Amino acid sequence: PAPPPYPALPRRKLKVATCSLAGCFGCHMSFLDIDERILQLIEHVEFDRSPLTDLKEVGRCDLGLIEGGLCNAENVEVLRDFRRQCHTLVAVGACAITGGLPAQRNAMSLPHILGEVYQQREGLKTGCAIPNDPELPLLLRQVRPLHEVVQIDYFLPGCPPSADSFWVFLTDLIAGRTPRLASGPIRYD
Ligand code: SF4
């Protein structure tokens, strides 16, 4: 049998922003995997700051999707600003929800990791130093999930969440329904 039609979206265009912190950008790529459904989406959604628009500053938004965890002070600042501007904030993917892959460094001390990478690794020239330019964002001692710093309204799990998860989640939210994902579309691969 033919699949059921996607639910109709409301008439008012919602402002949506997306942002990436300490992640791999894979969640954004998976979102783009909704493919031609994005044409249906943009009839009901206007993108603010997002790689789709290349806007650098986020304005007032109805919905913010944010991928990646917190690994440095700049991530925290961007997250707080994003939270202030977004009515509803969604932590997207394992990195945003738990710290994800970057949080594997939490088992080691920061000085140990920096020394290993910049000074003790095979093939480095002698006398290499750990970068300490004041322009560089200060690293956090550990990679942390977003909900430890700001209130998160929804969590969209997966690594990355599948395109169908994004679609079901967004169409539910935009239509004013509480998003409910079945376990099927949630995957970690
Ligand atoms: Fe990349 Fe997975 Fe993290 Fe998304 S959750 S940013 S896909 S590592």
Side-chain angles (χ1 to χ4, degrees):
Y6 290 112
L9 294 167
R11 282 175 173 242
R12 183 173 85 79
K13 281 205 171 188
L14 297 186
K15 271 219 165 188
V16 177
T18 74
C19 181
S20 181
L21 301 175
C24 74
F25 228 74
C27 290
H28 272 83
M29 299 309 291
S30 187
F31 173 44
L32 290 179
D33 279 345
I34 65 171
D35 296 329
E36 72 279 0
R37 287 175 286 182
I38 201 160
L39 298 176
Q40 194 180 338
L41 194 63
I42 59 175
E43 284 177 23
H44 306 277
V45 157
E46 185 184 340
F47 282 99
D48 192 85
R49 174 189 165 160
S50 160
L52 296 172
T53 60
D54 209 25
L55 293 175
K56 304 301 182 207
E57 302 288 329
V58 61
R60 295 292 299 164
C61 286
D62 298 297
L63 179 63
L65 304 170
I66 190 159
E67 84 165 37
L70 303 166
C71 83
N72 62 40
E74 186 186 53
N75 293 155
V76 175
E77 196 182 317
V78 170
L79 173 64
R80 288 200 165 119
D81 185 42
F82 207 69
R83 171 70 278 185
R84 271 192 295 274
Q85 298 290 51
C86 295
H87 176 268
T88 300
L89 188 62
V90 186
V92 174
C95 296
I97 296 170
T98 67
L101 206 57
Q104 288 200 357
R105 79 160 160 88
N106 293 356
M108 291 170 271
S109 79
L110 198 50
H112 172 78
I113 296 168
L114 292 171
E116 283 276 324
V117 171
Y118 290 105
Q119 295 179 303
Q120 288 132 33
R121 208 159 32 100
E122 246 181 69
L124 292 176
K125 281 196 280 186
T126 48
C128 282
I130 296 170
N132 67 350
D133 190 301
E135 293 268 313
L136 292 173
L138 203 60
L139 288 174
L140 303 182
R141 210 186 297 269
Q142 292 202 321
V143 177
R144 307 308 305 173
L146 308 189
H147 68 268
E148 290 189 2
V149 172
V150 297
Q151 181 187 312
I152 300 293
D153 301 301
Y154 290 99
F155 297 87
L156 186 57
C159 181
S162 66
D164 285 342
S165 299
F166 276 103
W167 181 252
V168 170
F169 185 84
L170 286 172
T171 50
D172 273 353
L173 207 59
I174 289 165
R177 294 186 294 269
T178 300
R180 293 193 197 286
L181 285 183
S183 58
I186 300 176
R187 62 158 202 247
Y188 293 85
D189 54 25

